[in-house]
Amino acid sequence: FTGSAFGSAAIWQYESLKSRVQTYFEEARADWLDKIRPQKRGDFRKQVNSWWNNLTEGQRTVTGIIAANVFVFCLWRLPGMRRIMFTYFTSDPSSRALCSPMLLSTFSHFSLFHMAANMYVLWSFSSSVVSLLGCEQFIAVYLSAGNIKYIYIY
């Protein structure tokens, strides 16, 4: 799993770099269009865009991870989802699903304090680690760390 995560991250990193280079040249050609286009309206949208643009690349990467963790945490609170959550989002040797929990348990927190502490720590060091590794490799490390946690429980 870890090898696949890092292999996929390397391909993703290459494709992102290629896309950035292509976008740079396309924007240079289309720069004159920005001068004649009308500006989009909406104060809330401008505030969100301003907030998003002020984040570092690491914080933007972690924002998606935090959103996924909060979404899974909310799913734990729905009584109808408990069976699915225990089957696919926890490490259980007696479970029918053995592979998918390796990935999905990485986003699963049952306790609010546990999730809040983990997300705070993740947010605090994300900028430096993503600037060192890149967002693709950082996500591979995050998923691999969850995989190690899963294997350690067994």
Side-chain angles (χ1 to χ4, degrees), residues 114-134:
H114 177 215
M115 183 188 69
N118 282 357
M119 296 305 105
Y120 173 75
V121 170
L122 188 65
W123 181 269
S124 66
F125 72 80
S126 65
S127 295
S128 58
V129 174
V130 169
S131 68
L132 180 68
L133 298 175

Side-chain angles (χ1 to χ4, degrees), residues 67-81:
N69 279 280
V70 169
F71 178 72
V72 172
F73 179 77
C74 290
L75 289 177
W76 274 108
R77 301 297 168 259
L78 299 174
M81 293 296 293

Side-chain angles (χ1 to χ4, degrees), residues 14-131:
Y14 168 76
E15 293 295 330
S16 293
L17 180 62
K18 188 171 90 173
S19 174
R20 275 187 248 153
V21 169
Q22 287 174 343
T23 302
Y24 173 77
F25 286 115
E26 288 171 4
E27 285 177 358
R29 278 186 267 139
D31 190 32
W32 63 274
L33 282 175
D34 289 340
K35 295 175 184 168
I36 61 173
R37 281 188 190 144
Q39 294 294 320
K40 295 180 181 176
R41 295 184 182 185
D43 289 333
F44 179 72
R45 182 179 178 154
K46 287 179 184 176
Q47 289 175 350
V48 171
N49 283 337
S50 174
W51 171 77
W52 184 257
N53 292 331
N54 288 330
L55 295 177
T56 64
E57 184 182 12
Q59 291 171 332
R60 279 183 270 190
T61 302
V62 171
T63 300
I65 294 172
I66 291 172
N69 279 280
V70 169
F71 178 72
V72 172
F73 179 77
C74 290
L75 289 177
W76 274 108
R77 301 297 168 259
L78 299 174
M81 293 296 293
R82 286 280 169 100
R83 177 187 279 172
I84 293 170
M85 298 306 289
F86 276 115
T87 302
Y88 295 105
F89 287 85
T90 59
S91 328
D92 183 8
S94 64
S95 176
R96 291 179 289 130
L98 294 177
C99 294
S100 56
M102 291 166 94
L103 174 65
L104 298 177
S105 69
T106 307
F107 301 99
S108 183
H109 298 85
F110 191 74
S111 161
L112 178 63
F113 179 74
H114 177 215
M115 183 188 69
N118 282 357
M119 296 305 105
Y120 173 75
V121 170
L122 188 65
W123 181 269
S124 66
F125 72 80
S126 65
S127 295
S128 58
V129 174
V130 169
S131 68

